[in-house]
Amino acid sequence: MIMFSFIDTMCPPEYTMTGLEWLNTEGPLSLNKELSGKVVLLDFFTYCCINCMHILPDLHRLEKKHSAKDGLVIVGVHSAKFPNEKALDNIRSAVLRYDICHPVVNDSEARLWHDLEVSCWPTLVLLGPRGNLLFSLVGEGHRERLALFTASALRHYGERGLLKTHAVGVKLYRDSLPPSVLSFPGKVAVDGIEKRLAIADTGHHRILVVSTAGQLLHAVGGPKSGRRDGDFSEASFSSPQGVAIKGEAVYVADTENHLIRKIDLLERRVSTLAGVGAQGTDKEGGAMGPQQPISSPWDVTLGSAGGGEGNVLWIAMAGTHQIWALFLADGKLPKGSECKAGTCVRWAGSGNEENRNNAYPHKAGFAQPSGLASAPEEPWGCLYVADSESSTVRTLALKDGAVKSLVGGEWDPLNLFAFGDVDGKGVDSKLQHPLGVAWAPEQSRLYVADSYNHKIKVVDPKAKQCSTLAGTGEAGDTLGPEFDKSRFNEPGGICIGDGGKLLYVADTNNHQVKVLDLFSKTVSLFPISRDCVDAVPTNPSAPTKAPTLPRSAARKEMPPAAVSAGQTLVMSLALSLPEGTKLTEGAPSCWALSAEGNEWLLEGRVLTGDIVDLSKPFSISTKIPAVIKDFNSSPSLTLGVWLYYCLETGNACMMKAASFKQPLQIGADGGEEETSVTLAHAF
């Protein structure tokens, strides 16, 4: 039997919460007023820390069991590790991202941290109803002890009549947010062959598959978190982060479910490949995926290991500070034994949170690896790792597993505070909690989402030279459009598209995906349609709904065109741009032909295509069905166009749209094989 002894000191506490900034409350809270008569649990955390994230479910569980009326109030005390984490707006974003529903105080100068002699993250401190210190717990993994101690404190003080039942003014910021297509997107991946993007819409607990023109093809999961396999209508995720897409398969790091999932776009089903749905502590692995516990996978990328192309899924296992491998087909780790398909096993990292490089992968140490990019071609032959808590980018050799430093950090493997914002070579350059990396083989360059510096950086791996590509270093949401005038807000994911011409960036705290054109040196917003075409099984290349036009789009009503059943209608389209501008090379300029309300005209499809040349008119053809459903109706076709163009001087870029509504007069008598209409618009 465990006995507890509580000291009811009459001395006022020496620490204070006054003068600090608060979130999720109607106003500041103090121990001698609003929190008087409450058992108060202080959660000292910093929002970058994976261990701090791991105890949030324990706190949610306590909140469900004991309310403020019962006498318990949980207060998050944010004591920042990184300078970027001291800003209230950034903490607010983290509170929203992690769905924290209790009050949070910004202990930016670590006053409470020092008053209570806290020394590491996370630390839990339980206070009695007079602000008296009861006990503290350091680190994660104390769910049962925390529940037992808290219940005992509530019972002890309740029996003595020292608890008060008054409410504490909680006001959740999330309740005032407007709806958005994306919510804290974590990662983005591109399938260049199919011209599709996979986006981890982390805050909405779902995965989006979008055409490079911005058309929403599939939305899987959300809006609430869950853990369910099955068809698209029932599948669910919990704060997914990493995504990899190849053909009709999307692989997902389902972070807060501690799972690796697979989305089959053809079968329209979600399945679990690895993990048991609870946080694991195993740092070796080797079991079959569904029997192998894992911990907070943060990114995934496809690669090869002793087998065919794409036979392994590399995993950034942030929760155990390691890199793991999930074999999709039989293979073999470098200098390792044979692995059967389905095996999930540790590849590199001791499990200690360190910035330790070593020729032996199991002796190396990572610190919350959060981004992966594969560069299999020689002379690189490595996996690039964004090691967030050491503020470094590291390399993991594919031939032997040797771990080396590329940029950032310093040589002391135990110093995880060597961060900053400095362009330079090797360890002389400095990053601040980078979360994403993307490899461009066409240029032999590595692109880095330097998240807490709000920048995109580029690395020459041969020279180990790291320099700023885009971003001012200040958090914001500005389309420069020039690189050095654009602003981001903790970008978490990045990928290369269009043969190395475009960078897609998950601009996490701005709830957007942005496109960096590496040739025009401009930044634009990636538009995503709110309407998903995946209400019924569809072929992604033949969608059934056109992308939504912006409100500013020009809309033209054309004179009726006389056509016959079975005849081909040729629409000749002439578009002209303002003088001194040109189409943005590589940007997703496109057209879409739809028949809303008369879908039978296009057999239930939407015809789409890219726009790459405006020097002369181009034609779009469609055949009128041979069997007309209703000769007395007045059907019409709608042609929408979306153009991305820039000033030839490169000083500004923009997206404009227009639509043409073409009414049809359909007759039964056959005429010539085709008939033409001319459409024109000057932007």
Side-chain angles (χ1 to χ4, degrees):
M1 181 177 180
I2 300 176
M3 302 295 293
F4 297 94
S5 177
F6 294 101
I7 301 173
D8 298 327
T9 176
M10 297 301 293
C11 299
E14 297 179 0
Y15 39 86
T16 176
M17 296 181 179
T18 58
L20 301 179
E21 299 170 309
W22 287 82
L23 294 168
N24 279 350
T25 65
E26 294 176 348
L29 304 180
S30 68
L31 289 170
N32 58 2
K33 290 183 181 179
E34 294 84 359
L35 299 177
S36 175
K38 302 291 187 185
V39 171
V40 179
L41 179 63
L42 302 179
D43 169 28
F44 284 84
F45 76 109
T46 184
Y47 70 76
C48 67
C49 170
I50 192 69
N51 310 95
C52 300
M53 300 177 208
H54 285 164
I55 68 169
L56 289 176
D58 302 348
L59 302 183
H60 288 320
R61 185 183 181 190
L62 270 183
E63 287 174 307
K64 287 183 178 180
K65 189 172 183 179
H66 306 292
S67 66
K69 187 176 181 180
D70 299 326
L72 176 67
V73 176
I74 298 175
V75 175
V77 183
H78 190 272
S79 302
K81 170 184 176 179
F82 293 99
N84 177 69
E85 294 179 307
K86 294 183 177 183
L88 186 67
D89 284 344
N90 297 339
I91 301 170
R92 180 183 289 112
S93 293
V95 167
L96 291 168
R97 193 161 64 242
Y98 301 147
D99 197 24
I100 296 174
C101 298
H102 50 254
V104 173
V105 60
N106 181 12
D107 187 28
S108 60
E109 302 306 318
R111 281 168 41 190
L112 282 170
W113 174 280
H114 292 302
D115 286 347
L116 286 163
E117 299 181 356
V118 175
S119 60
C120 69
W121 302 278
T123 293
L124 296 170
V125 176
L126 195 70
L127 304 178
R130 295 186 179 91
N132 48 307
L133 177 64
L134 301 180
F135 72 90
S136 64
L137 293 170
V138 176
E140 58 175 294
H142 304 297
R143 172 180 287 188
E144 300 307 324
R145 293 181 67 197
L146 177 63
L148 182 61
F149 289 179
T150 303
S152 298
L154 289 171
R155 183 172 62 251
H156 172 84
Y157 290 113
E159 290 172 351
R160 287 157 179 74
L162 297 176
L163 296 182
K164 298 178 182 179
T165 61
H166 65 274
V168 174
V170 174
K171 183 179 180 181
L172 300 183
Y173 181 69
R174 70 179 186 186
D175 294 338
S176 62
L177 289 177
S180 60
V181 175
L182 297 176
S183 175
F184 299 105
K187 302 287 185 184
V188 59
V190 66
D191 179 0
I193 296 176
E194 298 292 336
K195 294 186 177 181
R196 292 180 295 190
L197 295 177
I199 302 170
D201 188 10
T202 307
H204 287 144
H205 309 287
R206 64 179 183 168
I207 303 298
L208 304 185
V209 179
V210 185
S211 75
T212 52
Q215 186 170 356
L216 183 54
L217 305 175
H218 304 278
V220 189
K224 301 295 184 180
S225 65
R227 179 170 64 88
R228 188 170 182 177
D229 288 340
D231 64 40
F232 285 5
S233 64
E234 60 184 359
S236 55
F237 303 87
S238 184
S239 298
Q241 287 282 345
V243 285
I245 181 171
K246 184 177 181 181
E248 301 302 325
V250 181
Y251 300 94
V252 181
D254 192 6
T255 304
E256 292 193 4
N257 277 328
H258 310 285
L259 298 173
I260 300 297
R261 316 285 290 281
K262 179 184 178 181
I263 302 174
D264 188 319
L265 298 177
L266 283 181
E267 297 294 330
R268 303 182 74 253
R269 294 191 65 81
V270 175
S271 58
T272 295
L273 299 183
V276 298
Q279 183 189 348
T281 57
D282 184 3
K283 297 181 180 180
E284 297 292 336
M288 287 293 105
Q291 287 78 51
Q292 177 61 58
I294 60 177
S295 180
S296 299
W298 208 271
D299 200 10
V300 291
T301 191
L302 287 160
S304 300
E309 182 180 351
N311 74 321
V312 68
L313 188 72
W314 303 120
I315 305 168
M317 203 71 75
T320 55
H321 313 291
Q322 295 171 315
I323 307 301
W324 283 49
L326 173 62
F327 281 87
L328 307 177
D330 292 353
K332 180 182 178 181
L333 285 175
K335 296 187 177 181
S337 58
E338 299 288 338
C339 293
K340 294 292 186 183
T343 303
C344 188
V345 62
R346 179 264 304 254
W347 179 27
S350 64
N352 297 324
E353 188 175 7
E354 300 174 329
N355 176 24
R356 188 178 298 278
N357 301 303
N358 202 288
Y360 298 93
H362 290 184
K363 293 185 178 181
F366 294 94
Q368 206 170 307
S370 302
L372 299 175
S374 182
E377 58 277 352
E378 294 299 335
W380 319 113
C382 70
L383 198 64
Y384 291 107
V385 181
D387 199 36
S388 61
E389 281 294 276
S390 67
S391 295
T392 64
V393 175
R394 324 271 287 283
T395 63
L396 179 52
L398 296 174
K399 65 178 181 179
D400 58 14
V403 177
K404 298 180 181 179
S405 171
L406 182 62
V407 293
E410 66 146 69
W411 297 119
D412 180 358
L414 300 181
N415 183 5
L416 302 183
F417 288 80
F419 52 78
D421 183 8
V422 181
D423 291 350
K425 184 175 181 178
V427 295
D428 292 333
S429 64
K430 291 293 179 278
L431 308 170
Q432 188 180 178
H433 200 75
L435 290 173
V437 282
W439 174 246
E442 302 87 355
Q443 311 158 19
S444 295
R445 291 293 183 270
L446 183 73
Y447 294 92
V448 181
D450 191 5
S451 305
Y452 284 8
N453 282 326
H454 316 290
K455 285 184 174 182
I456 305 302
K457 294 186 176 178
V458 59
V459 177
D460 176 351
K462 184 176 181 179
K464 291 191 174 183
Q465 189 71 33
C466 179
S467 57
T468 297
L469 177 73
T472 65
E474 296 181 3
D477 182 17
T478 304
L479 298 175
E482 298 90 346
F483 282 178
D484 61 352
K485 295 180 181 178
S486 296
R487 291 188 180 183
F488 306 88
N489 195 334
E490 293 189 10
I494 189 170
C495 69
I496 289 281
D498 197 18
K501 298 176 183 176
L502 301 178
L503 269 179
Y504 295 95
V505 176
D507 194 6
T508 304
N509 285 357
N510 282 326
H511 315 291
Q512 298 168 348
V513 171
K514 290 192 168 95
V515 184
L516 278 64
D517 187 316
L518 297 176
F519 284 78
S520 67
K521 308 293 184 185
T522 55
V523 181
S524 61
L525 180 64
F526 180 67
I528 300 176
S529 167
R530 288 180 178 268
D531 297 320
C532 181
V533 303
D534 194 35
V536 295
T538 63
N539 181 338
S541 62
T544 60
K545 213 165 193 179
T548 302
L549 286 161
R551 292 182 179 178
S552 60
R555 289 169 169 81
K556 292 191 172 185
E557 181 94 16
M558 307 305 295
V563 295
S564 303
Q567 191 176 45
T568 296
L569 174 64
V570 179
M571 309 176 82
S572 178
L573 183 59
L575 302 173
S576 59
L577 297 176
E579 187 176 352
T581 65
K582 61 179 180 178
L583 280 178
T584 303
E585 186 178 352
S589 297
C590 64
W591 58 265
L593 183 65
S594 60
E596 188 172 350
N598 299 280
E599 284 79 4
W600 57 270
L601 274 172
L602 299 176
E603 299 178 343
R605 300 171 300 146
V606 170
L607 306 181
T608 62
D610 296 330
I611 300 175
V612 296
D613 182 12
L614 298 182
S615 62
K616 58 183 178 180
F618 59 95
S619 297
I620 300 166
S621 300
T622 183
K623 190 171 184 178
I624 305 299
V627 178
I628 306 302
K629 289 193 173 184
D630 185 2
F631 280 103
N632 295 320
S633 66
S634 300
S636 63
L637 296 170
T638 300
L639 178 64
V641 294
W642 292 259
L643 295 185
Y644 293 79
Y645 59 92
C646 300
L647 293 175
E648 292 178 346
T649 57
N651 292 327
C653 290
M654 60 213 77
M655 188 276 283
K656 297 289 185 180
S659 72
F660 304 85
K661 185 175 182 180
Q662 181 60 68
L664 302 177
Q665 294 177 341
I666 304 178
D669 296 333
E672 297 181 1
E673 289 188 3
E674 64 179 45
T675 186
S676 300
V677 296
T678 299
L679 310 175
H681 180 68
F683 287 91

